[in-house]
Amino acid sequence: MEWPGDFPDDHAFVELMVPGLSSEMDFDQFLKDTEEKLNLNANSIEQQLKELQAKMSDSRAGDRPPSPSECLQWFNLRAHSSFRPVTTGHQELMEFFRALQQYLRSEDEGKEEATLQLLLNLSAQCGVCFPCTPSSCSSLHPQPTASSVHLVHTVRDDASLEIQEVWDDVRLQLRRHLLDRLSPRSPEHPGPASISTLSIPDRVHCLQQLFFLYPESEVLTHYQRLRGQSVLDLLLSALSSSPGGETGFDRLAAGFHSAVPALTQALTDELHVLSRLAEPHTILGFLNTAYLSTVTHELASQMERECETALRDNTTLSSKIKKYSARSRATVAPMELPMKNRSFSLTSHQLRALTQLACTLLGFERTVRELVTNMTFVDCTGETPSIKGILKKSKEDSQTTTDGKKSPAEASLHTPEAKVLEFDWRSAFRGLVPHMAHCVKVVLDDACAKSLHQEKALHSSGHTSVTMASTTGDTSNTQLREDSFYTYSERDTPKMIAKFCGAIVTELDALLPLAAACRESSLLEVRSSFVEACGRAAFAVLDRLQERALEVPTSAPLKNLPALLATCIYVLQRLEHYRGRLKDSNATAAKVPLTLLPIQKCHETVEALRDQLTSYCIQVCSTCILQDAESHHWADPKPFYEGERCSFSVQMWFYFLCGLRSDLWAVLPPDLAKEVLGQVLSETLQLLVRRYAWARPSYKRHLQIRCDITAVLLYVEQLMWSVCQSPEALVRSSPYSAIVIIAGGSDWPYQIHSLCEQLLTVLVIVTAPLSLLYRIFTVDQVKESATHESDGPAVHWLNAINPDLFSEQVLRDGLMGQAASACQLRLLTSDPGRNPRLLLRMLLYRDCHLPRMLLESSHFCQESSLEMSAVSCKAGDDFIVALFNLFSCLNNVPKALTQALQPYLERAQIWEHLYTLADTTQTVPAVVSCVRAIVTKSTNSLLVHLVSMVMGWQATEEPSGALFKQNVPESVLAKIPKEWNYTTLEAKGKEPATKTVISLTIQALSFIFTNLPLAVASVPLPIRYLFQVAEKQLSQHSRQLRLVGLLLWALLGCLIQGLEDPHTIEQISGLALDRGAKEPLSLLAECLQATMGIQQKGVPKPTMHKVLQTLEEKRPKWMSMQLQKARKLCSDSVFERGRESGVAAAELTEQKIGLMLLEVCHKAGGSDYLRQIYHIIQGNEELLMYKLSGGADSPSNPPHLVNFDLCSESQGDTSGFDPLHQFDHIGRKKLDQSAVVDWAWDWPMLLPAYQGMSQVTFKTLLANRWEMQEGAELEDGEKSMVEELQRAYFVCCCSPRPQDPPEADETLAEQTRGETQPSDKSAAQ
């Protein structure tokens, strides 16, 4: 729908960003609104042109009306010569200029502003264009040309030199006044020095007034000189005030570090100002000269002084490190020779200061580049061979002398245009290149030698264990992960490393910014020195790691190997980061990247250490732990320990693996730790399979095999929680795992499942009751064909050992319900680190069941009022906020936020708080504050634009109050040439104030309703769904919400509250509002209240009714239509996408979880929210497991309330290893040996499952039974069953032993290296 022709409006585009993964309806509405705004703006421009045509026709009576293109040319100052000049009398013009001159020389206050306003009014009302020649034209060209004085009315072309001189004097005084206003040292702006004290609109206004008096290039030249001096003053102020008393290069580093934030803010403001006045390349030239060149010159000058000081101090006191006094800095003699020809050495402290300085300037360079790219749309982020960083040498710079004292403003008489930013700060370091290169080499070599020497001395003193240092709390690691070149996640990074290596890497990290900054050809010597020193340090560290690894196990403990492996991985990751950081597209810089040789050696060392670790662990198990002669004496006629316990070797095997897990969990990256533990478990499990497959026990010992295998399966089931990455890997064998293994990969959970299946096979065939075995395999043999087919990759051994959790349905269909939640929780807390994928999956599973359970078990939802400490309440609120911030950004699952917080929302009556969201006077729960912050973020964008509309209207309609306080005296007004037909505002008569306020309010109201759908679309989908659910709960307010709905009610309410609160408006917009600006905003708030159906307090203003009536007449039912558009974005159809994606476990694929995790981590603080939630879950694992298990297998006195007050660095029980506790425990449960001995196996269920097994395997295991051995004492019934089995399965019935048991045994043992289950192998045979 188009606006009527007599109702123009400007529909600006407000910065309301639609969420990244919003609904399709949001984007459709956004595109429709954009198209409508473009059409409305086009209509508005046409209407304004029509009005302009009418005005110009009135001023040019008798001529034809100008065309639209001619009207647009009126705004082009370069095309003014196309208009016909109209002469003005010489004497009249002279008298007018002299009157202005005398008035400006008077002592009247505000005379400059009054004069400027008069000249602007003459130009706007009468079409007068005053001479806008360069200030130097008066002396160079006595006769002004026609191009200098023309417009609709112009000054006579033959104006005398006297008129030009008077006019130049008038505008010179005006220029001084305007430049004084722009200057930070203006008398009207007392206080500390800064770049500028004027607001951005005021600066724009001042520059526009200067453009009215002088050409743009000259104005920008003066302004550029002013800004350059302000930048210089700021730098000198920062360098002279060192709070820590720093001297030398420390003073430079600290000074520039403190000045950069102010410079960045000044540059941002400058871009806001200039982007409204000049072209992008003119802006680049201005920034190059006024800001970047000033910083470069001052840096070069300061560096030169400090180099002279360092030259004097370091050469006279080369053996000492000395702080430089203020007097020594003040008496700096000029350099007589280039610095590179003067011999002196930098100290390590000075090198660190230079590195800090380079790091500060690198960050400033990057920030400037991003600012310019984002605000001028000129691409300054690309790297080209001709650009040094974002630097490109100009011709003027190449001619600049090296004294550094030449002012950047003196380098050119006008503002040059530039295509790139020119920030040559690296040139200040060129004189120190050989000294920095030498110092880098010395510092890094010394640091490496010192750390290695300290480690060797500690080792020689008898300290054989590796001294460790944590990497999680290292600030350099935090900064490193924020670096775009760093590609390793937290789960890939070791937790602990050798302390000596950490010290060396810290030194390398400290000097990396300096090496990264030195990418010009003249600075490459520094980078080359860093690369060489880095390579030497890497080789030295790797040699030491290999040396210490060789000492295991002869003179060093096993736990050294995981520590050495973690250290080597850490070094490898840092080297690869350095290589990526120093790699440059610049062909010259590419000559000195970090070489691949140390990286290749790191890779080889990592593989060697890992192989050593796994092979040693397997060797220890095979040669020591599992070698127990007493336990393995299968032919012993006496029972093992009276048949009351399992073998010692099996128990110690599990004990060893638990200790190994503790060592791996403490230092290695989580994924690698799980991989190593899985490999050791799988390889050692093969040894146990081989042992029990070959065992031929006596009658007294066959129960020991049953007890041992039962214990092994219980132990493996406990360890599988630490090995598996997902619930699917725990309960199912993936069909692709066999392909992975055939291809040379490794899938340890799959292999462990296969080995446990084989152990269960041994247990069933060797130890099952003979009568049941005979009946199943002889009497019921006809059923073999039915059972021969495999049921798929179901893990039968888990069902046999823990049928309650791993039922047949679970193994067939996967974990579901409470069991799946318990499984996910146990996998999460058994993981060596925080697994964000599993955590997010668990939080979303079953409609966010786990977060709801946490809140239901917390003090938030307890019936009885509990006395909670302030700390606990604060911790609980922090957890609620973390949940809210996590789920509010998941637009893929919009219902998750409401589902997760449902118990809390209902208990705390959050629905009512959402209805009164705009009320900031009452105390509200933390989650309400979070919702309000999101809603007000959308309304603030509207509010800023509304304030700018009102301020612009005030500047136009109330010039006497907004622009100047003093009226021009009558003596000046009387001298205005009569033919200009100038009429003062008082004589002309102003449009009634009420009418202009109504027009402004209508425009503001139409702006709000035009952008209302976009404001709703900018609210994340989870918040919209929360409001939709809350609206259904607020039936008592259905009458108020019937028109707009709860979200629009809250959004408009927050907007109204902002309009009525001057403090909020001033804080958001940065503008101080007077009474004239507050009244239109208050009227706008009343109009919005009326559209929402809110009852007005007192008698409504007639103006408000007039506004709504006029708007309705101009555009009938338009506001209602816009409200319906906005409400549609909160309807059920928007959340259909959430229902389609769902939060069901089956639909939460790895890809979806990965996308949502990426969305969370890209949000500010997203990773911290996940970490906080993880620690709360980890700390309350016992309570959660009790709830999920329904009280079964839970402690006698479980906790009743969730504890939110936990240390952020708390560790789960799996990370600690208590030798005395772990010796006789499986996890948290005490190992009951008698229960293992008397384990109730369901033989009728197990035996039929093996009817279709491999005949070779069955015959081998059958021959190992004690009843099949010679001399076995059997009863008559047993003898007949044995004879029948022998006739059925053995070739030689006279002998109870098969002819080739060794080969058959080997076949069973080698199944671990194959990829088929026993049933598959049977089918193949």
Side-chain angles (χ1 to χ4, degrees), residues 41-109:
N41 280 337
N43 294 336
S44 177
I45 293 173
E46 291 179 3
Q47 181 65 21
Q48 297 286 359
L49 283 176
K50 290 179 182 179
E51 294 181 2
L52 185 60
Q53 281 178 298
K55 291 181 181 179
M56 292 182 68
S57 298
D58 294 340
S59 64
R60 297 175 55 165
D63 293 340
R64 64 174 180 82
S67 65
S69 60
E70 290 176 339
C71 293
L72 292 176
Q73 285 295 324
W74 191 62
F75 296 99
N76 186 2
L77 295 177
R78 299 177 182 177
H80 291 160
S81 59
S82 63
F83 293 98
R84 181 175 60 83
V86 178
T87 59
T88 300
H90 176 277
Q91 187 62 31
E92 293 180 1
L93 190 61
M94 187 68 184
E95 290 178 357
F96 173 63
F97 281 165
R98 287 198 179 278
L100 289 178
Q101 187 181 36
Q102 293 299 324
Y103 176 53
L104 289 173
R105 291 177 179 176
S106 68
E107 299 297 329
D108 292 353
E109 184 180 357

Side-chain angles (χ1 to χ4, degrees), residues 1251-1262:
Q1251 282 186 308
M1253 66 180 294
S1254 166
Q1255 290 296 306
V1256 175
T1257 305
F1258 177 75
K1259 292 176 182 179
T1260 303
L1261 296 178
L1262 183 62

Side-chain angles (χ1 to χ4, degrees), residues 468-614:
M468 306 298 293
S470 175
T471 63
T472 54
D474 192 355
T475 56
S476 64
N477 279 333
T478 304
Q479 298 171 356
L480 203 62
R481 293 191 186 101
E482 296 172 356
D483 194 333
S484 59
F485 290 93
Y486 193 75
T487 58
Y488 295 99
S489 65
E490 186 177 348
R491 286 186 65 82
D492 297 328
T493 306
K495 300 177 183 178
M496 304 280 286
I497 60 170
K499 188 176 181 180
F500 77 92
C501 178
I504 296 174
V505 171
T506 300
E507 292 290 338
L508 292 171
D509 287 343
L511 296 181
L512 178 63
L514 183 63
C518 297
R519 59 187 180 192
E520 294 183 8
S521 56
S522 59
L523 304 177
L524 287 181
E525 186 180 349
V526 179
R527 177 178 288 197
S528 178
S529 180
F530 175 84
V531 167
E532 294 172 1
C534 185
R536 288 192 297 271
F539 282 119
V541 170
L542 293 177
D543 289 342
R544 183 59 56 88
L545 293 178
Q546 290 175 327
E547 180 183 344
R548 295 292 173 256
L550 293 176
E551 297 175 356
V552 179
T554 54
S555 59
L558 169 63
K559 68 177 183 179
N560 279 12
L561 284 180
L564 297 174
L565 175 59
T567 304
C568 192
I569 293 172
Y570 190 76
V571 173
L572 172 62
Q573 292 176 352
R574 286 304 171 101
L575 290 179
E576 290 182 337
H577 168 65
Y578 296 161
R579 186 169 184 269
R581 191 73 176 86
L582 299 178
K583 190 177 181 180
D584 201 295
S585 59
N586 192 324
T588 306
K591 294 178 181 177
V592 285
L594 190 64
T595 59
L596 292 174
L597 190 58
I599 296 178
Q600 181 180 356
K601 185 172 182 181
C602 270
H603 276 292
E604 295 172 353
T605 308
V606 166
E607 292 300 323
L609 288 175
R610 176 177 173 174
D611 289 342
Q612 181 181 356
L613 173 61
T614 54

